[in-house]
Amino acid sequence: MKKIMSIAVLLFITVVYSNAQIDYNDYFTPDRLRMDLVFAGNANEQHVYLDGLHFEKEWSGSVHSLIPDFDYGEYAIEVYSADDGMKIFMKGFCSLFSEWRTTKEAEETDMAQSNSIWIPFPKNKIKVVVSERMHDTGALNPIFSCNIDPADKSIKRDVENNYKIDSVLYNGASSQKVDLVFVAEGYTAQEMAKFRLDVNEFMGYLFDIEPYKSRKEGFNIWAVESVSVDSGTDIPHHDIWKNTVACSNFYTFKTDRYLTAPDQKKVVQIVSNTPCDAIYVIVNFDKYGGGGIYNYYGLSMSDHKYEAEVFVHEFGHSFAGLGDEYYSSEVAYEDMYNPNVEPWEPNLTTLADFGRKWKDKIDKTTPVPTPDKVEYSGLVGLFEGGGYSAKGVYRPVLDCRMKTNTAAGFCPICIDAINRMIDYYCK
């Protein structure tokens, strides 16, 4: 046990030390590079291909936390200096494609989907490595690499759109704030006044709930008035089709309420002129639905009695990497979590490595596992059921915003995780 603890401390010190040695200005310009990738494969294998590179103005991420001290995401992108081989940037992320690979359809067919990722624009040549998280071990395994020369004239520099960008809330330099960008989807030119009202409502929902309420000064809020030809969104199983800027649709993975924009490249192109750490797409519709994917985007409907609850839930996924704590609703996933591997999401555990989760936050008088009874409401414990599984996956509390729309708010474990992510961008 002492040996294991020593190794853990050494790894932590190594990460912190490595981060401290990276001076942003030694390796990167103030701008950003968008890597457009294509992920292709099926349930058993996947491949990644480079679709293109695009220069964009203003890296809005942290210039200090270039390598995070947390390990989130189904994938990771790592950047190495070609001069000395030093790792100079890393970020975890997820994708709609990684979710699709856990569905029944992926066992029977092949598919390809876009996935664009931002990194700081390098001053000199770099090597980029993309890794996937292995289902059987939880370890990251490289599946793609490429070399990039920032002087390469094939890196596109065109301005991809001229959408109006509104500064809704400005608290300071982007490098020290979370830049949250709201995107208009299914709003016609005549409906942009409604979009601006919706953005202000959504911003109000965010800062009405902890910990965002106490951390409001850590955010900049932007709104991109991306105009659609038609109002609304596609509902394929009702034979409703609309011409919208982000090409969103319900019925993702043949699930009625799963609302997504399958071509993620279209979404990131919309925000290509905006400082951006987190994207949230507001879909101009009143049918219940949404989705949130870590470091990809969050998305939900604008006009429903649960619009506030769904928004903060989906933003919990896309911004903070929180997992779903429910287990009884309809989903298309099959065996998403390996019972022998600890989930990377901070609010779920299979007990494979519970010590690095919230074990130390449970009071000694609380029974473990903790019964699903109202008498334990509000207590941090070990409640079985979460991550779409009634058995073998555990959540921290009886109810939380990551479980139901009726929960009072986020649980203490989720609050800690959200604060950690805000700190990552602001400190």
Side-chain angles (χ1 to χ4, degrees):
M1 180 61 71
K2 289 183 178 179
K3 182 178 181 181
I4 294 174
M5 290 179 64
S6 297
I7 293 173
V9 171
L10 180 61
L11 288 173
F12 175 78
I13 292 174
T14 301
V15 170
V16 173
Y17 179 76
S18 299
N19 225 340
Q21 299 308 300
I22 303 170
D23 187 327
Y24 181 94
N25 295 314
D26 287 345
Y27 295 98
F28 302 110
T29 76
D31 307 302
R32 68 190 185 205
L33 177 67
R34 193 183 79 221
M35 297 186 65
D36 295 328
L37 304 173
V38 174
F39 285 64
N42 52 48
N44 299 313
E45 61 178 329
Q46 67 176 322
H47 307 278
V48 181
Y49 304 94
L50 181 64
D51 187 37
L53 301 172
H54 202 282
F55 171 90
E56 295 180 0
K57 284 289 186 182
E58 190 171 1
W59 170 252
S60 56
S62 173
V63 297
H64 302 292
S65 302
L66 297 175
I67 299 176
D69 61 356
F70 49 86
D71 181 23
Y72 294 175
E74 292 298 324
Y75 303 98
I77 185 167
E78 298 170 294
V79 179
Y80 296 86
S81 167
D83 293 333
D84 54 21
M86 183 175 183
K87 184 192 292 190
I88 53 177
F89 181 80
M90 180 178 181
K91 194 166 192 177
F93 64 97
C94 293
S95 73
L96 193 62
F97 183 74
S98 65
E99 292 186 6
W100 174 80
R101 292 187 69 220
T102 68
T103 68
K104 181 67 175 178
E105 183 182 38
E107 298 176 2
E108 303 167 350
T109 189
D110 294 340
M111 185 177 287
Q113 286 186 336
S114 66
N115 196 153
S116 297
I117 307 167
W118 287 300
I119 63 174
F121 197 90
K123 288 184 174 180
N124 300 300
K125 294 178 181 180
I126 58 171
K127 179 179 181 179
V128 175
V129 177
V130 175
S131 299
E132 66 170 325
R133 195 174 299 278
M134 306 303 291
H135 186 261
D136 57 343
T137 66
L140 289 169
N141 180 57
I143 53 174
F144 168 83
S145 67
C146 68
N147 298 314
I148 297 175
D149 183 351
D152 188 343
K153 294 301 182 181
S154 66
I155 298 176
K156 297 179 181 179
R157 290 175 176 259
D158 56 310
V159 178
E160 294 178 306
N161 64 72
N162 61 352
Y163 299 130
K164 181 183 177 183
I165 301 167
D166 289 328
S167 176
V168 184
L169 175 69
Y170 186 78
N171 279 314
S174 291
S175 61
Q176 297 175 326
K177 305 296 176 184
V178 178
D179 284 277
L180 168 57
V181 182
F182 285 106
V183 171
E185 165 65 345
Y187 293 81
T188 65
Q190 294 72 35
E191 294 175 307
M192 279 302 148
K194 178 182 184 299
F195 172 64
R196 290 190 291 271
L197 289 174
D198 289 342
V199 168
N200 277 282
E201 281 192 349
F202 273 54
M203 181 175 68
Y205 299 150
L206 186 68
F207 297 128
D208 192 43
I209 191 170
E210 293 292 358
Y212 302 109
K213 185 175 184 178
S214 298
R215 303 295 302 273
K216 184 176 180 178
E217 76 288 345
F219 284 79
N220 293 329
I221 307 292
W222 309 87
V224 180
E225 296 186 9
S226 38
V227 178
S228 292
V229 174
D230 295 329
S231 179
T233 186
D234 294 347
I235 312 179
H237 50 309
H238 293 169
D239 202 26
I240 296 174
W241 302 93
K242 299 296 182 75
N243 184 353
T244 59
V245 66
C247 297
S248 64
N249 63 263
F250 282 92
Y251 206 52
T252 303
F253 307 153
K254 297 180 174 59
T255 301
D256 174 71
R257 64 180 184 146
Y258 198 6
L259 174 62
T260 66
D263 189 349
Q264 188 243 11
K265 181 180 176 181
K266 288 182 180 293
V267 178
V268 297
Q269 286 177 319
I270 292 171
V271 303
S272 60
N273 303 325
T274 315
C276 182
D277 296 316
I279 302 172
Y280 203 88
V281 182
I282 304 178
V283 182
N284 187 26
F285 208 66
D286 59 1
K287 176 178 165 58
Y288 184 91
I293 302 172
Y294 178 57
N295 278 339
Y296 194 74
Y297 60 61
L299 178 152
S300 62
M301 72 288 166
S302 62
D303 301 300
H304 190 277
K305 66 179 181 178
Y306 285 127
E307 63 190 59
E309 292 83 357
V310 172
F311 161 53
V312 295
H313 173 96
E314 302 300 353
F315 190 62
H317 289 310
S318 62
F319 173 66
L322 300 176
D324 278 317
E325 295 179 12
Y326 58 80
Y327 52 90
S328 58
S329 299
E330 178 193 8
V331 293
Y333 315 125
E334 296 184 345
D335 302 321
M336 178 169 278
Y337 294 98
N338 183 339
N340 299 313
V341 174
E342 187 65 26
W344 58 264
E345 294 93 335
N347 60 324
L348 296 176
T349 183
T350 58
L351 303 183
D353 189 9
F354 186 39
R356 66 183 176 94
K357 291 297 179 67
W358 64 90
K359 186 177 182 179
D360 62 343
K361 301 291 181 65
I362 301 175
D363 190 273
K364 293 180 180 180
T365 62
T366 303
V368 176
T370 312
D372 272 20
K373 295 182 178 180
V374 69
E375 61 193 90
Y376 297 105
S377 178
L379 297 179
V380 174
L382 188 70
F383 295 82
E384 190 165 25
Y388 325 116
S389 299
K391 298 291 183 182
V393 181
Y394 299 82
R395 63 190 190 279
V397 299
L398 187 65
D399 198 12
C400 170
R401 183 48 48 82
M402 297 312 296
K403 184 175 184 289
T404 69
N405 289 327
T406 55
F410 290 104
C411 72
I413 305 308
C414 289
I415 286 175
D416 285 348
I418 294 169
N419 275 321
R420 186 180 195 181
M421 193 60 66
I422 295 172
D423 289 343
Y424 164 70
Y425 284 103
C426 297
K427 295 184 178 181

